[in-house]
């Protein structure tokens, strides 16, 4: 593990030099499969809350954004390897991730994770629970006593409940809200607070880029524009700054 982390650090340092030397094009890495945070629209383009936030951050930081999609389970290794410059993909800030990459301040406040099932009576602590691989939700389920069933995409976790593979799905409540509203799934168990909010992930060597994005996020908080986008994509009841 130490060798892997040290190798990642070396890659991050070399990849970060490109930004430090002055180029203004920033490749924004996202999953494109986690609405309303990020998704691919009918025109085949990245869309959603994080697309709007990312474009505004680049505008304020005087950077040019290029959007890149990557599967979730390899999204951190491909950032470190230099395939893109940021992760803006509903990624919660955690101490474990912070050992490998760096984060800006959060642009989405700490929020609830929740269970959804076909029955509100499901005992989520002693049942089979689906969660997306390499998420804080999967980590929580693994430590909860429930049987964890992991899937590569969020849609697969929901499908597992609908087809009977799993008793419940555990994910960001904001992701599950529209699914619960439009399907046979209902809330089960208690909401859980995990992580320190969602931030932009960066290579640890990209201090200049982090400073620019931190300043842009703070300016969006200060003028209220970040709250406007939070309410637009998640509703009036969403926690704001």
């Amino acid at each position: 593990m130490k060798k892997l982390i040290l190798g990642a650090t070396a890659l991050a340092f070399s990849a970060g030099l490109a930004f430090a030397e002055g180029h203004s094009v920033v490749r924004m890495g996202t999953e494109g499969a986690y609405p309303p945070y990020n998704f691919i629209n009918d025109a085949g383009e990245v869309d959603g809350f994080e697309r709007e936030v990312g474009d505004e951050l680049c505008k304020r930081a005087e950077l040019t954004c290029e959007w890149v999609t990557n599967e979730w389970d390899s999204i951190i290794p491909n950032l470190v390897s230099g395939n893109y410059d940021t992760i803006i993909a509903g990624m919660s800030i955690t101490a474990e991730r912070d050992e490998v990459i760096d984060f800006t301040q959060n642009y989405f406040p700490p929020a609830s994770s929740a269970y959804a099932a076909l029955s509100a009576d499901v005992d989520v602590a002693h049942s089979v629970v689906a969660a997306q691989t390499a998420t804080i939700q999967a980590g929580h389920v693994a430590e909860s006593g429930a049987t964890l069933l992991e899937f590569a995409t969020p849609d697969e976790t929901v499908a597992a409940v609908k087809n009977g593979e799993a008793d419940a799905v555990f994910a960001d409540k904001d992701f599950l809200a529209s699914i619960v509203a439009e399907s046979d799934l209902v809330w089960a168990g208690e909401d859980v607070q995990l992580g320190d909010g969602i931030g932009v992930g960066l290579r640890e060597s990209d201090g200049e880029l982090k400073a620019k994005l931190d300043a842009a996020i703070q300016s969006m908080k200060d003028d209220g524009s970040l709250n406007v986008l939070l309410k637009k994509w998640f509703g009036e009841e969403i926690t704001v700054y």
Side-chain angles (χ1 to χ4, degrees):
M1 179 59 71
K2 284 185 178 180
K3 289 183 179 179
L4 286 173
I5 292 176
L6 286 171
T9 301
L11 281 168
F13 178 77
S14 61
L17 289 177
F19 180 82
E21 289 169 358
H23 79 73
S24 61
V25 175
V26 175
R27 297 161 298 168
M28 310 289 273
T30 195
E31 183 183 15
Y34 204 57
Y37 295 89
N38 59 81
F39 58 92
I40 304 301
N41 63 25
D42 292 340
E45 299 176 343
V46 173
D47 205 339
F49 168 71
E50 287 171 317
R51 175 62 192 262
E52 288 205 57
V53 170
D55 283 349
E56 183 63 22
L57 293 180
C58 284
K59 178 181 176 181
R60 294 183 184 219
E62 298 182 344
L63 302 167
T64 300
C65 282
E66 291 182 355
W67 288 87
V68 179
T69 57
N70 194 95
E71 292 181 356
W72 175 262
D73 60 359
S74 62
I75 202 165
I76 288 179
N78 279 315
L79 168 72
V80 172
S81 296
N83 291 341
Y84 34 82
D85 305 302
T86 73
I87 295 172
I88 179 163
M91 180 171 283
S92 297
I93 301 167
T94 68
E96 182 180 16
R97 288 170 178 156
D98 200 35
E99 291 180 359
V100 181
I101 62 174
D102 206 352
F103 285 96
T104 63
Q105 64 173 296
N106 63 47
Y107 59 82
F108 193 102
S112 296
S113 296
Y115 295 91
L118 292 173
S119 169
D121 297 328
V122 169
D123 180 3
V124 296
H126 301 91
S127 56
V128 178
V129 179
Q132 188 177 13
T133 301
T135 60
I136 56 175
Q137 289 84 11
H140 177 80
V141 173
E143 297 175 357
S144 71
T147 300
L148 171 63
L149 194 59
E150 293 184 273
F151 293 90
T153 69
D155 287 345
E156 288 175 297
T157 65
V158 174
V161 178
K162 292 181 177 180
N163 65 28
E165 288 183 79
D167 301 304
V169 54
F170 187 54
D172 288 308
K173 190 168 187 177
D174 296 309
F175 165 71
L176 290 173
S178 62
I179 295 169
V180 169
E182 298 168 4
S183 72
D184 294 335
L185 269 62
V186 296
W187 300 117
E190 299 292 329
D191 291 356
V192 182
Q193 292 289 128
L194 298 172
D196 296 318
I198 296 170
V200 179
L202 310 103
R203 292 180 288 270
E204 291 185 335
S205 58
D206 280 347
E208 180 185 350
L209 178 56
K210 177 183 176 180
K212 287 177 178 289
L213 294 178
D214 266 331
I217 292 169
Q218 189 60 54
S219 72
M220 290 186 71
K221 290 178 178 178
D222 291 344
D223 67 16
S225 56
L226 188 52
N227 288 344
V228 170
L229 291 179
L230 284 164
K231 290 180 179 180
K232 171 184 175 178
W233 287 100
F234 298 97
E236 291 294 325
E237 300 304 315
I238 188 70
T239 300
V240 295
Y241 292 99

